[in-house]
C-alpha cells in the first residue's frame, strides 16, 4: 500500500499543505457550529487553542516521525472514521492537534514495519507520555478498533487528495465532508463505506450467477 501513488516524495509537501488547509477549515467551521450545537469535551481537548498552527504542527510530525508517506493518508482515513463514530466529538481548534499526533502514530504502528514508540511521539507532539498513552487508547476505542484500510479505500482517499492537490479547482465543499459536524458522509467527498461496497459487490455477483 505504501507503494501507491504517494510514493513520490515531491508530493508530500503538497499533501501536508493541503491536509493542513482542509483540517484548518473544518476546525474553524466546527468552532462556529459548536456555539449552536452541543459538543462533548474529551481527552483530546485542550484548555486553550495551541499557539502552533495546524500546518506547522503537521510539518513537525512529518519531519520527525519518519513514517512512510502512506501513514498520513491512513491517518486521515482514521480521522474521518473517528468523526463518523463519534459525531458529538467533531474536529475543532481545541482537539485537532492531539487528534493529529494520535492518528499518525497509530497509522505508523499499523502500516510500518519500524516505528517510534509512544514516548518519542509524545515529544514530537509536545505532550507527556502519560497523555500520549491515554490519547491512543481513547482513539482506538473511538474507532471501535477499526484500523484496517483496504486497498480500495486507500486508493479512494489517495486519489481524491491527489486530485484536489493537483487541481485545486473547484475548491472542496467542506460542508459535505464527513469531517464537518452534523453532515452525513458522501462517497464523492472522500468517505468510503466499505460495508456498503462489499454488499453491492455481492449483489452484483449474485445477479451474474442468476
Amino acid at each position: 500500500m505504501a507503494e501507491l501513488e504517494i510514493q513520490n516524495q515531491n508530493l508530500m509537501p503538497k499533501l501536508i499543505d493541503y491536509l493542513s488547509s482542509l483540517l484548518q477549515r473544518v476546525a474553524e467551521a466546527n468552532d462556529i457550529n459548536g456555539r449552536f450545537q452541543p459538543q462533548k469535551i474529551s481527552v483530546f481537548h485542550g484548555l486553550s487553542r495551541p499557539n502552533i498552527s495546524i500546518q506547522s504542527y503537521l510539518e513537525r510530525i512529518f519531519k520527525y516521525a519518519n513514517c512512510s508517506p502512506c501513514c498520513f493518508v491512513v491517518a486521515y482515513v482514521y480521522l474521518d472514521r473517528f468523526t463518523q463514530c463519534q459525531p458529538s466529538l467533531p474536529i475543532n481548534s481545541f482537539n485537532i492537534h492531539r487528534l493529529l499526533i494520535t492518528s499518525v502514530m497509530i497509522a505508523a504502528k499499523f502500516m510500518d514495519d519500524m516505528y517510534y514508540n509512544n514516548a518519542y511521539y509524545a515529544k514530537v507532539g509536545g505532550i507527556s507520555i502519560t497523555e500520549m498513552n491515554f490519547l491512543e487508547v481513547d482513539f482506538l476505542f473511538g474507532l471501535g478498533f477499526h484500523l484496517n484500510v483496504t486497498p480500495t479505500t486507500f486508493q479512494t482517499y489517495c486519489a481524491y487528495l491527489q486530485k484536489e492537490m493537483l487541481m485545486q479547482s473547484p475548491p472542496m465543499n467542506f460542508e459535505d465532508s464527513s469531517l464537518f459536524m452534523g453532515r452525513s458522509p458522501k462517497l464523492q467527498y472522500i468517505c468510503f463505506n466499505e460495508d456498503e461496497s462489499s454488499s453491492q459487490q455481492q449483489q452484483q455477483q449474485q445477479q451474474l450467477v442468476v
Side-chain angles (χ1 to χ4, degrees):
M1 199 176 290
E3 299 298 323
L4 292 174
E5 303 184 28
I6 54 172
Q7 185 180 24
N8 185 351
Q9 288 290 336
N10 294 329
L11 284 178
M12 285 308 298
K14 292 182 179 180
L15 175 62
I16 297 300
D17 182 68
Y18 178 73
L19 282 177
S20 302
S21 176
L22 184 150
L23 293 172
Q24 180 70 43
R25 296 194 187 189
V26 170
E28 291 175 352
N30 286 335
D31 287 344
I32 296 174
N33 285 337
R35 302 172 187 173
F36 309 102
Q37 300 183 33
Q39 299 182 25
K40 289 183 179 179
I41 302 299
S42 69
V43 295
F44 298 98
H45 283 71
L47 296 177
S48 60
R49 293 182 177 87
N51 293 325
I52 185 172
S53 68
I54 295 176
Q55 180 167 350
S56 297
Y57 195 70
L58 195 54
E59 288 174 347
R60 174 179 172 82
I61 296 174
F62 173 66
K63 179 179 180 180
Y64 293 107
N66 292 319
C67 56
S68 59
C70 69
C71 291
F72 290 89
V73 176
V74 172
Y76 183 52
V77 175
Y78 290 165
L79 287 175
D80 204 7
R81 288 178 180 174
F82 187 86
T83 56
Q84 293 176 62
C85 294
Q86 308 297 327
S88 61
L89 295 176
I91 289 175
N92 57 43
S93 298
F94 293 88
N95 62 22
I96 180 56
H97 294 75
R98 287 176 174 82
L99 285 170
L100 271 175
I101 189 65
T102 307
S103 60
V104 172
M105 181 185 73
I106 293 176
K109 288 184 175 183
F110 192 78
M111 299 298 299
D112 293 349
D113 294 329
M114 299 181 64
Y115 51 84
Y116 291 114
N117 59 21
N118 288 26
Y120 182 85
Y121 273 95
K123 291 182 179 180
V124 173
I127 57 179
S128 68
I129 175 61
T130 301
E131 184 175 10
M132 187 76 261
N133 291 338
F134 275 119
L135 294 177
E136 180 183 29
V137 172
D138 206 73
F139 195 83
L140 289 171
F141 274 98
L143 285 176
F145 291 86
H146 183 198
L147 298 179
N148 186 50
V149 177
T150 66
T152 302
T153 300
F154 181 85
Q155 288 175 334
T156 301
Y157 279 76
C158 190
Y160 178 84
L161 290 171
Q162 281 192 312
K163 176 183 175 182
E164 291 297 318
M165 285 188 295
L166 295 175
M167 297 181 64
Q168 290 293 316
S169 179
M172 178 181 175
N173 183 348
F174 291 93
E175 293 187 359
D176 285 323
S177 171
S178 62
L179 293 173
F180 190 90
M181 185 176 64
R183 302 290 182 178
S184 60
K186 299 179 180 179
L187 176 59
Q188 71 181 104
Y189 294 110
I190 300 177
C191 186
F192 185 81
N193 190 325
E194 296 170 271
D195 294 334
E196 181 180 347
S197 176
S198 299
S199 177
Q200 290 176 348
Q201 290 178 357
Q202 290 177 357
Q203 291 177 1
Q204 291 176 354
Q205 290 176 353
Q206 291 175 356
Q207 291 176 354
L208 290 175
V209 172
V210 175

